[in-house]
Amino acid sequence: MNRKIALITGGSRGLGRNAALKLTKKGCDIILTYRSQAEEAQTVIQEIEALGGRGVALQLDVGASSEFDAFVARVKSELQKMWQCDSFDYLLNNAGVGLHKPFAETTEADFDNLMNIHLKGPFFLTQKLLPTIADGGSILNVSSGLARFTLPGAGTYAAMKGAMEVLTRYQAKELGKRGIRVNVIAPGAIETDFSGGIVRDNAETNAWVASQTALGRAGLPDDIGNAIAMLLSDESGWINGQRIEASGGMFL
């Protein structure tokens, strides 16, 4: 059986790492990116190999679009070297950073940083990777429940995610002729190290999230990793151009 190949940005920790391991279990090999923690990324590669998959970790700052041409060249080289092919099947635009700051206090530098990482980065990285994505493949962008509900201090972050949700529909429409599906997943509050690990490590915050969620708990990385693996896979072949919120029913 030919294994699918998935490229995951920000795959060295958190939801990206979990998605990489879930996809490996479903028969995928993995190309993951990391920004600065090479050792952490190599640990994930070892976990992938322990599950019977193959993987490679490549350095990339998603907020630095000037690096994308060189990155795409590295992807093509690794595809030839490790898999003897010239395309991959699944793209997960996952890399990101948080910001908790009121609208009135957000600086232009804050705005530009989030825009580069959460909107400009995935926009142009996906564009440059298009010739390397297999026809019939799948792209999954990552949004946030915060693009639907509002929590003070998250407006700039949420605005970028909202833009990605709109872009997803246009990508799905325009890439359909190649059989490439494009969807966007919007996680709710999840127990990871994101935003300083506040949901995972702060008992009061965790309890508050649970009280606002229909299923009565905060989300776990497995909740999102499983959903990502499902949405990227051919099993979801008729789901296209959709926003799927994976929040356990927050703020219903």
Side-chain angles (χ1 to χ4, degrees):
M1 181 184 75
N2 291 328
R3 294 174 68 91
K4 301 284 190 180
I5 303 170
L7 194 160
I8 300 172
T9 65
S12 63
R13 62 181 183 83
L15 298 183
R17 170 187 171 275
N18 191 279
L21 299 180
K22 296 297 183 184
L23 284 162
T24 300
K25 291 178 181 179
K26 289 179 72 73
C28 288
D29 290 337
I30 306 294
I31 301 170
L32 64 84
T33 77
Y34 65 93
R35 187 169 66 90
S36 59
Q37 300 297 321
E39 186 174 335
E40 192 174 50
Q42 286 304 320
T43 297
V44 181
I45 297 300
Q46 292 169 7
E47 292 176 299
I48 289 167
E49 292 171 346
L51 292 171
R54 291 187 292 174
V56 62
L58 302 178
Q59 194 280 329
L60 177 68
D61 181 352
V62 174
S65 57
S66 62
E67 300 179 5
F68 291 173
D69 286 333
F71 173 74
V72 172
R74 292 200 303 274
V75 169
K76 291 178 178 179
S77 175
E78 292 296 338
L79 286 170
Q80 285 291 335
K81 183 168 65 176
M82 185 169 287
W83 291 280
Q84 294 77 55
C85 68
D86 56 10
S87 65
F88 64 94
D89 304 280
Y90 305 146
L91 172 62
L92 175 63
N93 283 311
N94 166 76
V97 296
L99 176 72
H100 187 79
K101 187 178 285 190
F103 164 74
E105 299 173 13
T106 300
T107 67
E108 188 171 353
D110 293 330
F111 182 96
D112 287 346
N113 185 52
L114 287 190
M115 181 184 68
N116 288 338
I117 293 171
H118 289 286
L119 179 56
K120 182 179 179 181
F123 184 107
F124 287 104
L125 181 61
T126 301
Q127 183 188 82
K128 289 182 179 294
L129 285 169
L130 279 178
T132 319
I133 300 175
D135 289 353
S138 181
I139 299 170
L140 186 62
N141 297 319
V142 176
S143 179
S144 169
L146 290 162
R148 173 179 65 84
F149 50 78
T150 58
L151 292 173
T156 309
Y157 173 83
M160 304 305 166
K161 294 302 191 181
M164 283 303 299
E165 292 187 5
V166 173
L167 178 63
T168 294
R169 296 196 297 273
Y170 279 85
Q171 289 174 327
K173 186 76 169 181
E174 295 182 16
L175 300 180
K177 60 188 176 184
R178 290 183 51 193
I180 295 175
R181 298 182 301 110
V182 191
N183 293 293
V184 58
I185 187 169
I190 310 297
E191 295 182 11
T192 69
D193 60 358
F194 194 72
S195 290
I198 188 169
V199 176
R200 181 191 62 192
D201 301 333
N202 186 298
E204 184 178 350
T205 299
N206 191 288
W208 179 81
V209 167
S211 74
Q212 302 298 321
T213 303
L215 292 180
R217 63 173 175 83
L220 301 173
D222 280 352
D223 296 322
I224 308 304
N226 284 326
I228 287 170
M230 177 193 71
L231 289 168
L232 283 170
S233 75
D234 295 345
E235 296 169 359
S236 299
W238 204 234
I239 299 175
N240 193 25
Q242 300 303 304
R243 176 194 191 270
I244 294 92
E245 185 170 311
S247 68
M250 283 191 74
F251 299 115
L252 294 179

